[in-house]
Structures are given as C-alpha cells and as structure tokens.
C-alpha cells in the first residue's frame, strides 16, 4: 500500500487493511509524534491531516487513505532551522504542561489556520472543540493560535 507521508512516498507492506493509521505511523513508519490517547477518536491526541483535513488517526482505517497525502506533526516543520509558526507560538505562550495532547492540538489548529488566517475567538473555540487537554491549557492554546496567525500573516512564506 502506498502512502504519501510528510511529502514522501512510503510503501507499507503486511498491514491488515482494517488497521488504523495511527499504529502504521508509529510502529511501521517510526513517526511517534502522533499520540495514542483514547483509541476511539474522542480526545484528538492522534490528529493528523489527510489531504489537508484533520482526522483522528486512531479510527481511520489505512485502507481508506491509500494514495492520499498524510501530514503529521513531524512534517509540519518545513526545515530543521525554523519551527512552524504554530510550534513557535506553542513555545512562546508556554502551552505544554505534560505535552501529551499537543501534537494533536497543533495539527487541529493547523486545520483551522490553513483555511482561516484570522479566526475569531469563537471560531478558534469551535474548531478546537473536542481536542482534550487534561492539564487544561485551553486559554494558552487560544493565545498560541492567535499568535501563530499573526506570525503567519507577517511571514513572506506561504504555509500549506
């Protein structure tokens, strides 16, 4: 089965077609930034993008995404010299406490900012609903998303 993960074609052999995307990413491809949380698509820790849309990788069967483009937290950073604005904003706003949910939080936030470069507070809250944080850093998450939006608006580089 062919997948395009973080811009690179990857072939995955000997995978049960009902296998979820999450273990394929973590166990077969070694991309461990995407986390396993609830295993039922409810917490959002496992969020990645498939063809530009945020999806819960723990409940997405691999057979449904053959030939698509998958973006994980590892692929969000364009180069090794500079963090993606969302990653930098997460640091600047001191969002992570335990940090477990934050790859999913960042990927969900990218789903918003890739389509809406200047979201309102209400749009941020609505789009981020369902990405759970046991540490309760929701106010910092909102601040980080708005900071990243401003950083991206000032940047000459197009993200997408």
């Amino acid at each position: 089965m062919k997948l395009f993960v973080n811009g690179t074609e990857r072939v995955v052999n000997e995978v049960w077609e009902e296998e979820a995307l999450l273990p394929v990413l973590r166990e077969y491809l070694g991309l461990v930034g995407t986390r396993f949380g609830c295993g039922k698509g409810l917490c959002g820790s496992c969020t990645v993008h498939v063809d530009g849309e945020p999806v819960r990788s723990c409940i997405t069967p691999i057979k449904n995404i053959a030939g698509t483009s998958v973006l994980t937290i590892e692929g969000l950073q364009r180069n090794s010299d500079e963090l993606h604005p969302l990653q930098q904003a997460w640091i600047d706003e001191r969002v992570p406490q335990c940090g477990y949910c934050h790859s999913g939080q960042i990927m969900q936030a990218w789903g918003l900012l890739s389509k809406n470069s200047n979201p309102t507070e209400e749009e941020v809250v609505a789009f981020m609903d369902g990405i759970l944080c046991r540490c309760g850093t929701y106010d910092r998450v909102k601040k980080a998303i708005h900071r990243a939006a401003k950083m991206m608006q000032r940047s000459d580089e197009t993200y997408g």
Side-chain angles (χ1 to χ4, degrees), residues 3-7 21 25 48-51 65 68-72:
L3 301 173
F4 296 91
V5 180
N6 299 331
L21 175 58
L25 292 172
V48 299
H49 285 221
V50 175
D51 286 341
I65 62 156
T68 64
S69 178
V70 177
L71 179 68
T72 70

Side-chain angles (χ1 to χ4, degrees), residues 2-138:
K2 287 184 185 178
L3 301 173
F4 296 91
V5 180
N6 299 331
T8 303
E9 183 178 276
R10 305 292 295 265
V11 176
V12 181
N13 295 318
E14 300 178 26
V15 174
W16 178 48
E17 66 179 20
E18 297 298 324
E19 184 74 69
L21 175 58
L22 179 61
V24 171
L25 292 172
R26 292 182 59 82
E27 297 168 22
Y28 292 94
L29 301 179
L31 298 169
V32 297
T34 304
R35 306 284 200 248
F36 177 86
C38 66
K40 297 184 184 293
L42 303 172
C43 74
S45 292
C46 67
T47 301
V48 299
H49 285 221
V50 175
D51 286 341
E53 295 297 325
V55 300
R56 304 300 194 263
S57 63
C58 72
I59 59 169
T60 301
I62 194 75
K63 71 178 181 180
N64 292 356
I65 62 156
T68 64
S69 178
V70 177
L71 179 68
T72 70
I73 192 73
E74 291 91 348
L76 194 60
Q77 185 174 342
R78 295 274 171 132
N79 60 58
S80 60
D81 297 333
E82 186 178 337
L83 295 174
H84 186 278
L86 275 164
Q87 294 167 317
Q88 187 61 55
W90 244 247
I91 293 166
D92 294 345
E93 293 295 338
R94 299 185 334 251
V95 176
Q97 287 187 18
C98 80
Y100 197 81
C101 68
H102 290 293
S103 62
Q105 293 266 7
I106 289 170
M107 295 307 291
Q108 182 75 11
W110 178 233
L112 172 62
L113 294 182
S114 66
K115 293 173 179 46
N116 182 349
S117 63
N118 192 22
T120 66
E121 182 89 7
E122 294 78 21
E123 289 169 327
V124 169
V125 170
F127 202 84
M128 297 302 291
D129 188 40
I131 307 290
L132 304 179
C133 174
R134 291 183 69 178
C135 301
T137 62
Y138 299 112

